[in-house]
């Protein structure tokens, strides 16, 4: 981790934090310095490095080379959408653990003229999918939703990125995708983060064809070596030449379909294939895929306006409901007190109960968006938070009951156009299935469906019937790309994160740190975090981030607490401070912010 910080120190573009007050938050006292005075000594993620600053434009992502690709496009005259698409394709090359062609994601766009839009390019269940496909003969949930071909939904990343470029981009696809093709065909230098990531997933990757690419001779690429991905370069060139058709028709879907057959006899029916973790995706599934354009959710918090993803993402609703509950308090207790964590935990807990029970793909189920985001509804939820006691989730769920790994990136250009996006293949390296000849890993997003109501998925989420598996359906997601404007309508913050359901709580806490806590960006992103997702009924907190006295007070309130190494790794954020932008990759992970 220290090596990562050293790398980040070398990669930041410019140093310095603004000393002025944050635009649009004059109603709150300036609490700068409070972070430093209250965080336990030796906090591992203390922001030792300055944030990157820029006057005109900024790019932040989890991979330095992907950030460079976006900055290259901006400097060449491209807009924020051009740069975001360049980052997305570059991540598919240099960040294979989460960047992808074999997954999907979401993107929120706010143009300089104030127009907003959102595109949902989440994966969908193949046509042969069925509700109980991951249950064995006894009704128990198997691991087939996590590892192997049956775990993969139909990828949406290429359709989403080419679609948004066609609508809002200013450059041709061939120019925007050129940095990714160059990185794949000429190769890039393996850093310590990628080498460690691959080594940590060797057992998964070597079960499938990716072992030949990433572990030639049985060993992961060494730090400082050059990694060339020729098959991926070929796929990227096909997309460059033919657009989305270069991915969804012809050679690529045929290669995917062939990989689905590997290890499974021909003619095995879908039910038997799923039980054996064999894939069920077909060429026809690829041909049918379409992204969905949606209207961003618009919510407010203490005079700020948030634009976020609607379902099939749960992020916008869950972040919005949490903030609505907290907004009812005229001010929050001082961070990081037990009282502060009690209220934020109570808000998270209630919002996640609603998320898990009421949300799903809006093309398949009726999602009560307006009610869940109303201030009146939040007031009802807030009244169930006791002043000094925890509320057990089972009791709360009964009282309130009605009748997934990622990589975020953010871009703002010189005209003020802004993009916040998050893409994923779910677990690191997805299902482990690598498509030889096409050069990418397939996702394991089918695990984000409810395999069986009441049984947690790999992230511990206990979800409801509305998120059950159905052919052509989008699985619920926790991705939370968000754009915030201040009370004068100016850009205030672009933010997103990775880490399954921890995305929601991490994004929310950074927002609270900036608005209520008046922290600077470096402190806001680095500050110790908690996580509560209703079930398991436990506050997870970062080891060393909360002092023993606060932990004792929370236990006395009735909370179960569990220390974790990190909570919600790899938030990325761009914050407008005065007349400049500040960019920050999370010190819990790798990344780079760069601008001009």
């Amino acid at each position: 981790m220290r090596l990562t910080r050293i790398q980040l120190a070398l990669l930041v573009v410019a140093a310095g934090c603004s000393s002025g007050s944050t635009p649009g938050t004059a109603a709150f006292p300036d609490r700068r310095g409070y972070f430093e005075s209250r965080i336990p000594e030796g906090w591992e993620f203390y922001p030792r490095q300055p944030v990157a600053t820029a006057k005109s434009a900024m790019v932040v992502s989890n991979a330095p080379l992907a950030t460079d690709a976006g900055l290259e496009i901006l400097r060449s005259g491209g807009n924020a959408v051009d740069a975001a698409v360049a980052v997305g394709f570059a991540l598919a090359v240099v960040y294979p653990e989460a960047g992808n062609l074999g997954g999907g994601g979401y993107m929120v766009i706010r143009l300089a003229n104030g127009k907003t839009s959102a595109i949902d390019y989440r994966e969908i269940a193949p046509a042969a999918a069925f509700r109980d496909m991951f249950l064995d003969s006894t009704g128990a949930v198997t691991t087939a939703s996590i590892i192997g071909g049956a775990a993969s939904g139909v990828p949406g990343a290429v359709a989403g990125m080419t679609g948004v470029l066609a609508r809002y981009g200013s450059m041709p696809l061939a120019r925007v995708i050129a940095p990714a093709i160059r990185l794949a065909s000429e190769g890039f230098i393996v850093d310590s983060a990628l080498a460690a990531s691959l080594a940590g997933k060797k057992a998964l990757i070597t079960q499938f064809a990716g072992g030949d690419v990433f572990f030639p001779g049985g060993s992961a690429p060494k730090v400082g070596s050059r990694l060339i991905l020729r098959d991926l370069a070929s796929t990227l060139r096909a997309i460059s030449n033919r657009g989305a058709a270069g991915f969804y028709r012809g050679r690529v879907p045929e290669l995917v379909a062939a990989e689905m057959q590997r290890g499974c006899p021909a003619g095995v029916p879908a039910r038997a294939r799923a039980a054996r973790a064999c894939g069920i995706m077909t060429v026809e599934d690829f041909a049918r895929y379409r992204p969905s354009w949606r209207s961003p959710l618009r919510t407010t918090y203490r005079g700020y306006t948030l634009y976020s993803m609607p379902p099939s993402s749960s992020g916008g609703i869950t972040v919005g409901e949490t903030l609505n509950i907290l907004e009812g308090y005229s001010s929050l207790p001082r961070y990081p007190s037990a009282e502060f964590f009690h209220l934020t935990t109570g808000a998270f807990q209630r919002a996640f109960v609603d998320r898990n029970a009421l949300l799903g793909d809006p093309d398949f189920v009726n999602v009560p968006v307006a009610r869940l985001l109303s201030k009146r509804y939040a007031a009802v939820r807030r009244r169930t938070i006791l002043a000094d006691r925890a509320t057990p989730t089972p009791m709360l769920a009964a009282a309130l009951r009605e009748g997934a790994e990622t990589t975020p990136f953010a871009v703002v250009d010189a005209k003020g156009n802004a993009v916040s996006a998050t893409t994923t293949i779910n677990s690191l390296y997805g299902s482990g299935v690598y498509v030889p000849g096409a050069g990418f890993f397939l996702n394991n997003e089918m695990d984000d469906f409810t395999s069986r109501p009441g049984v947690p998925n790999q992230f511990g989420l206990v979800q409801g019937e509305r998120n059950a598996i159905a052919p052509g359906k989008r699985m619920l997601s926790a991705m939370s790309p968000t754009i915030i404007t201040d009370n004068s309508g100016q850009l205030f913050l672009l933010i997103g994160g990775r880490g399954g359901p921890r995305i929601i709580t991490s994004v929310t806490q950074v927002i609270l740190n900036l608005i209520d806590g008046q922290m600077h960006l470096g402190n806001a992103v680095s500050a110790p975090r908690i996580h509560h997702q209703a079930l398991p009924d436990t506050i997870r907190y970062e080891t060393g981030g909360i002092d023993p006295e606060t932990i004792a007070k929370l236990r006395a309130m009735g909370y179960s607490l569990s220390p974790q190494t990190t909570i919600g790794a790899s938030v990325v954020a761009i914050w407008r401070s005065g007349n400049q932008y500040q960019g920050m990759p999370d010190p819990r992970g790798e990344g780079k912010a760069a601008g001009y």
Side-chain angles (χ1 to χ4, degrees):
M1 183 61 70
R2 293 193 182 281
L3 179 59
T4 299
R5 290 202 195 96
I6 293 170
Q7 291 170 330
L8 288 173
L10 295 173
L11 292 170
V12 292
V13 202
C17 290
S18 166
S19 60
S21 61
T22 305
T25 58
F28 290 86
D30 187 348
R31 299 180 186 173
R32 287 167 304 171
Y34 187 67
F35 174 88
E36 292 86 347
S37 68
R38 291 285 300 186
I39 298 306
E41 182 140 3
W43 172 233
E44 183 177 4
F45 303 115
Y46 191 85
R48 301 172 185 174
Q49 311 302 331
V51 298
T53 61
K55 291 286 187 180
S56 299
M58 180 71 72
V59 184
V60 189
S61 83
N62 283 147
L65 291 172
T67 294
D68 290 343
L71 188 60
E72 174 186 325
I73 295 300
L74 287 177
R75 288 190 179 278
S76 299
N79 64 22
V81 171
D82 299 322
V85 173
V87 171
F89 278 114
L91 284 167
V93 181
V94 301
Y95 204 61
E97 67 181 49
N100 66 82
L101 299 185
Y106 303 97
M107 190 177 290
V108 179
I109 304 113
R110 183 182 185 272
L111 302 180
N113 62 10
K115 180 180 178 180
T116 61
S117 187
I119 186 168
D120 177 340
Y121 49 102
R122 182 69 157 150
E123 303 89 334
I124 63 172
F130 55 97
R131 188 192 181 288
D132 297 331
M133 63 185 285
F134 298 122
L135 304 185
D136 65 16
S137 59
T138 69
V141 177
T142 71
T143 61
S145 68
I146 301 174
I147 299 174
S152 301
V154 183
V158 173
M161 289 191 289
T162 55
V164 75
L165 185 72
R167 182 171 293 195
Y168 292 116
S170 66
M171 285 183 164
L173 176 60
R175 176 65 187 95
V176 168
I177 203 172
I181 294 174
R182 185 173 66 243
L183 288 165
S185 60
E186 298 178 7
F188 59 95
I189 301 302
V190 175
D191 61 15
S192 60
L194 178 57
S197 173
L198 287 167
K201 287 293 183 177
K202 180 178 180 179
L204 172 68
I205 296 170
T206 53
Q207 291 183 51
F208 305 97
D212 295 336
V213 176
F214 294 99
F215 295 91
S219 299
K222 294 182 179 180
V223 175
S225 64
R226 181 172 292 273
L227 181 61
I228 297 174
L229 300 172
R230 293 185 178 86
D231 287 349
L232 182 55
S234 177
T235 299
L236 291 169
R237 289 191 189 97
I239 297 168
S240 177
N241 294 332
R242 299 174 55 212
F247 184 83
Y248 290 94
R249 297 181 183 277
R251 179 173 175 272
V252 171
E254 290 169 0
L255 289 169
V256 171
E259 192 62 22
M260 295 292 99
Q261 300 290 334
R262 196 176 304 276
C264 288
V268 175
R271 287 182 179 273
R273 294 183 67 80
R276 297 177 59 169
C278 299
I280 57 175
M281 259 192 295
T282 66
V283 170
E284 290 75 20
D285 285 321
F286 270 70
R288 281 191 291 264
Y289 185 88
R290 299 290 185 277
S292 291
W293 286 97
R294 305 192 189 279
S295 297
L297 297 178
R298 182 184 181 278
T299 55
T300 61
Y301 181 70
R302 303 197 191 277
Y304 293 81
T305 300
L306 288 76
Y307 300 95
S308 56
M309 279 303 306
S312 61
S313 172
S314 69
I317 286 180
T318 313
V319 170
E321 183 178 342
T322 300
L323 292 174
N324 282 344
I325 291 171
L326 294 175
E327 189 179 38
Y329 301 101
S330 57
S331 63
L332 296 181
R334 299 188 77 188
Y335 173 92
S337 64
E339 293 75 16
F340 175 86
F341 291 131
H342 170 59
L343 293 187
T344 53
T345 293
F348 285 141
Q349 187 182 18
R350 285 149 179 81
F352 267 96
V353 166
D354 285 340
R355 175 215 183 269
N356 295 341
L358 301 177
L359 302 191
D361 184 342
D363 295 332
F364 284 74
V365 298
N366 180 30
V367 181
V369 175
R371 176 161 59 89
L372 291 173
L373 289 179
S374 73
K375 304 292 185 181
R376 181 177 297 181
Y377 184 80
V380 173
R381 293 296 192 245
R382 186 168 51 253
R383 286 196 291 270
T384 68
I385 299 177
L386 304 177
D388 57 358
R389 294 292 300 169
T391 308
T393 292
M395 180 187 302
L396 180 66
L400 300 183
R401 185 174 296 123
E402 303 295 330
E405 294 295 343
T406 59
T407 180
F409 49 101
V411 182
V412 61
D413 65 27
K415 293 183 178 179
N417 301 302
V419 175
S420 180
T422 308
T423 185
T424 185
I425 49 175
N426 208 18
S427 304
L428 298 181
Y429 302 96
S431 64
V433 175
Y434 185 84
V435 185
F440 57 86
F441 289 95
L442 287 169
N443 66 84
N444 61 350
E445 295 295 355
M446 294 296 288
D447 188 63
D448 274 355
F449 280 119
T450 304
S451 293
R452 180 179 176 184
V455 177
N457 68 3
Q458 65 176 313
F459 296 112
L461 286 170
V462 179
Q463 304 179 105
E465 188 64 39
R466 294 187 178 206
N467 191 38
I469 301 169
K473 187 177 183 179
R474 285 175 162 83
M475 58 291 292
L476 199 59
S477 169
M479 288 183 275
S480 308
T482 302
I483 297 174
I484 302 178
T485 58
D486 64 19
N487 56 14
S488 66
Q490 299 297 308
L491 277 178
F492 173 71
L493 180 70
L494 285 75
I495 189 168
R498 63 176 287 185
R502 296 169 298 164
I503 297 170
I504 292 169
T505 53
S506 295
V507 165
T508 302
Q509 286 170 91
V510 174
I511 293 170
L512 294 174
N513 291 344
L514 284 168
I515 295 177
D516 293 82
Q518 286 286 283
M519 295 181 187
H520 286 305
L521 183 63
N523 291 352
V525 172
S526 303
R529 300 174 190 150
I530 62 164
H531 176 72
H532 199 297
Q533 60 184 44
L535 291 173
D537 197 353
T538 301
I539 295 178
R540 284 172 267 190
Y541 69 93
E542 295 181 310
T543 303
I546 302 180
D547 62 67
E549 180 182 355
T550 299
I551 292 173
K553 286 183 179 179
L554 290 168
R555 291 194 191 281
M557 290 180 176
Y559 287 107
S560 170
L561 288 96
S562 174
Q564 307 285 312
T565 303
T566 63
I567 296 292
S570 297
V571 166
V572 301
I574 297 175
W575 178 51
R576 186 180 64 82
S577 176
N579 63 353
Q580 68 179 4
Y581 294 109
Q582 296 185 3
M584 180 76 178
D586 202 315
R588 295 164 178 83
E590 309 81 33
K592 179 179 180 179
Y596 66 88

